[in-house]
Amino acid sequence: MRISRIITGAFSTLALLVGMGVTAPAANAEINVYTTPGEHTINGRQWRTWCEPYSRTARCTTQIKVAGVWTFNNLTYLPSPRTLWKGNPLATPGYHTVAGRKWFTECDTARTGRNGCRSYIDSTGRGNYVFNNLVQFGAIRSDLKSLYRYRPPADPKPTPPPSGSYSITRGPNTSNRAILTFDDCPKSLSSFKTTVKAFADMGISVALFPTGDCITAGRFDASYARSLGHYVFNHSVSHPQLTDLSKSAVIRQLGSPGVVTTYGRPPYGAYNSTVREAYAAVGMRIWTWTVDTNDWRGKSSSQLVSYVVNNVKGGDTVLMHMQWNGFNASAVRQMKDGLANKGVGLCRNNGATAVKPAGVTC
């Protein structure tokens, strides 16, 4: 595959330019927007970067504001000895598959320079590789601690969830209608859009819980889903076992590039007192499920339809996943019809939803 095909598609025009090795002219030549913590305006566009410890060096996350929303642009790993990266796919030239995701890395090329590597992720599963991160080789900077002082300001305080008793398993759906929910990441952006459009055309609203990694990979469009009347909530950044993390680490998993909103589903449905405290600290409520389809075990669409129709009752929250066989129009239509025959309705679609809704209206 030629490199010209590798760099196709991007999270934004500027992200594409970065992936091609083209640097946008800076308003202030002394500012490297990718390694200078803080907020910057470059040629009329707003950027922000923050850094955190990574191994013996630091990793900086850069976002750009698109249509008023902070959007992931790329990661930059600050200089460290090449020997520390031995065996790491982000610093090993060639194609790699990690946790089912495909990457391409190039090092010491005209595009990267003689002391660095660039990695690109297959954003659609069809060979469309998008620039994701840069690894720099060299001496470790002596001022790393000074880089950790800036953190992005908190998002506006979310609208508080409804008062009164709250069920973690039923979540914010207080109606007598069941709601279908889907976790993780669809197979491609095009299939995702087709599927959620079909759901809306059926007159139903679903709750979607993508990971931040899925959003970064370009396989999920939160704005598009909300515009069709679906709810989009948090499912962490990288899908770790949150109960193994510190409170501060859990809080990071509840932030960007994941969905910053009012409700979230911890990976595997696992939470403890530390996880609960972290969710509360960011103004987010935990929402798990009442009916687990176990679709990830490879059940066919017909098996999932049968399970949902036979086991779901009014008010239930049904767990499925966007990469498995329940996430398609035919299966959901059969679920809707089968449940209707036994007097159970699915969450009705009431039009566009908010980024931080106080609840779910079915």
Side-chain angles (χ1 to χ4, degrees), residues 93-107:
Y95 293 94
H96 312 280
T97 299
V98 181
R101 302 171 69 188
K102 296 181 179 179
W103 296 77
F104 172 80
T105 298
E106 60 174 340
C107 301

Side-chain angles (χ1 to χ4, degrees), residues 135-356:
V135 173
Q136 300 175 340
F137 300 130
I140 296 174
R141 289 173 53 165
S142 61
D143 63 341
L144 291 181
K145 289 185 178 180
S146 68
L147 303 180
Y148 307 144
R149 296 173 185 170
Y150 171 79
R151 282 292 181 273
D155 287 327
K157 188 175 181 180
T159 304
S163 59
S165 60
Y166 176 77
S167 167
I168 284 179
T169 55
R170 279 195 53 154
N173 176 25
T174 58
S175 75
N176 63 355
R177 291 176 172 270
I179 184 167
L180 304 181
T181 71
F182 297 89
D183 288 4
D184 298 348
C185 195
K187 294 179 179 178
S188 70
L189 181 61
S190 60
S191 66
F192 165 76
K193 287 187 172 182
T194 299
T195 302
V196 294
K197 175 65 165 55
F199 293 168
D201 290 343
M202 293 178 208
I204 68 171
S205 177
V206 301
L208 304 164
F209 295 81
T211 62
D213 284 348
C214 178
I215 295 171
T216 299
R219 288 157 60 186
F220 187 96
D221 188 331
S223 296
Y224 182 75
R226 294 188 188 107
S227 73
L228 293 174
H230 303 301
Y231 295 92
V232 181
F233 296 125
N234 183 279
H235 194 45
S236 80
V237 173
S238 58
H239 208 275
Q241 182 86 14
L242 297 185
T243 54
D244 293 338
L245 305 181
S246 66
K247 179 180 175 180
S248 61
V250 175
I251 288 175
R252 286 194 292 273
Q253 285 289 329
L254 302 181
S256 180
V259 181
V260 179
T261 183
T262 42
Y263 294 90
R265 176 170 291 165
Y268 316 107
Y271 59 90
N272 55 18
S273 59
T274 300
V275 174
R276 294 176 74 131
E277 290 173 4
Y279 273 80
V282 299
M284 197 180 295
R285 276 184 163 175
I286 296 173
W287 183 9
T288 57
W289 57 84
T290 59
V291 176
D292 186 353
T293 63
N294 285 295
D295 57 344
W296 58 271
R297 295 183 182 273
K299 291 183 178 180
S300 67
S301 292
S302 61
Q303 288 175 316
L304 291 171
V305 169
S306 177
Y307 187 87
V308 168
V309 171
N310 290 328
N311 291 278
V312 172
K313 60 186 183 300
D316 272 336
T317 294
V318 184
L319 171 65
M320 289 183 279
H321 298 80
M322 287 181 273
Q323 66 270 44
W324 292 100
N325 294 322
F327 191 67
N328 69 76
S330 176
V332 169
R333 184 176 295 280
Q334 292 177 68
M335 291 175 191
K336 179 186 177 184
D337 293 345
L339 289 171
N341 289 336
K342 55 185 270 188
V344 178
L346 289 179
C347 188
R348 291 172 294 189
N349 194 304
N350 296 300
T353 60
V355 174
K356 297 182 177 181

Side-chain angles (χ1 to χ4, degrees), residues 56 79-85 136-140:
R56 289 171 53 191
S80 61
R82 191 184 295 259
T83 53
L84 295 181
W85 290 88
Q136 300 175 340
F137 300 130
I140 296 174

